[in-house]
Amino acid sequence: MIGPRIRTLRAEKNISLSQLAERSKVTKSYLSQIERNICNNPSIEFVEKVAVALNVNPEVLLGWGQNKDEISNIDNHFSYVKKCLLTIDDKQLKELKDYIDFTLWKRDKKIND
């Protein structure tokens, strides 16, 4: 449900219901109804307006995208790999490339099977 996602993000960003309604140019009463799941089928236009006001992708509000914890974990993993890449020698770099190629081959094989 989109309502709890909006309410959670709004609370995390310390934005009041009135502020979010004003920023997204939607009525406070309709936003409140969405958050409380009284209305649970908002238009795409509504979702886009609220997403912009909350500075998230519309997919996040719809539950289709990654949440911020998943994004944070990806960023942390990527930063770690980047840091390690700067410290390995050419032989290790080739081994890593071979491992990545093998991992991608296995993934592709699963998809095609």
Side-chain angles (χ1 to χ4, degrees), residues 6-24:
I6 293 172
R7 182 182 296 134
T8 299
L9 287 166
R10 181 174 61 78
E12 287 174 358
K13 295 172 184 280
N14 294 317
I15 301 171
S16 71
L17 188 67
S18 297
Q19 289 170 322
L20 182 57
E22 186 178 319
R23 290 179 188 179
S24 57

Side-chain angles (χ1 to χ4, degrees), residues 63-78:
W64 299 346
Q66 298 171 318
N67 67 36
K68 72 176 189 170
D69 292 334
E70 291 170 335
I71 292 169
S72 177
N73 284 339
I74 290 169
D75 288 344
N76 288 339
H77 296 315
F78 187 70

Side-chain angles (χ1 to χ4, degrees), residues 28-91:
K28 180 180 171 182
S29 61
Y30 184 61
L31 182 57
S32 175
Q33 290 175 352
I34 294 291
E35 282 194 357
R36 293 179 291 141
N37 289 323
I38 293 170
C39 295
N40 56 14
N41 193 17
S43 69
I44 294 299
E45 181 182 14
F46 172 88
V47 173
E48 289 174 342
K49 286 179 177 182
V50 173
V52 167
L54 290 170
N55 196 29
V56 297
N57 289 325
E59 293 86 359
V60 172
L61 293 182
L62 296 169
W64 299 346
Q66 298 171 318
N67 67 36
K68 72 176 189 170
D69 292 334
E70 291 170 335
I71 292 169
S72 177
N73 284 339
I74 290 169
D75 288 344
N76 288 339
H77 296 315
F78 187 70
S79 293
Y80 175 78
V81 169
K82 249 179 23 179
K83 187 168 52 172
C84 290
L85 285 174
L86 297 173
T87 64
I88 62 178
D89 62 31
D90 288 343
K91 181 180 176 188

Side-chain angles (χ1 to χ4, degrees), residues 76-108:
N76 288 339
H77 296 315
F78 187 70
S79 293
Y80 175 78
V81 169
K82 249 179 23 179
K83 187 168 52 172
C84 290
L85 285 174
L86 297 173
T87 64
I88 62 178
D89 62 31
D90 288 343
K91 181 180 176 188
Q92 292 168 324
L93 193 58
K94 184 181 179 332
E95 289 173 0
L96 179 60
K97 181 200 172 296
D98 290 345
Y99 178 76
I100 291 170
D101 288 343
F102 176 70
T103 302
L104 293 174
W105 173 81
K106 279 187 357 185
R107 181 200 62 194
D108 293 342

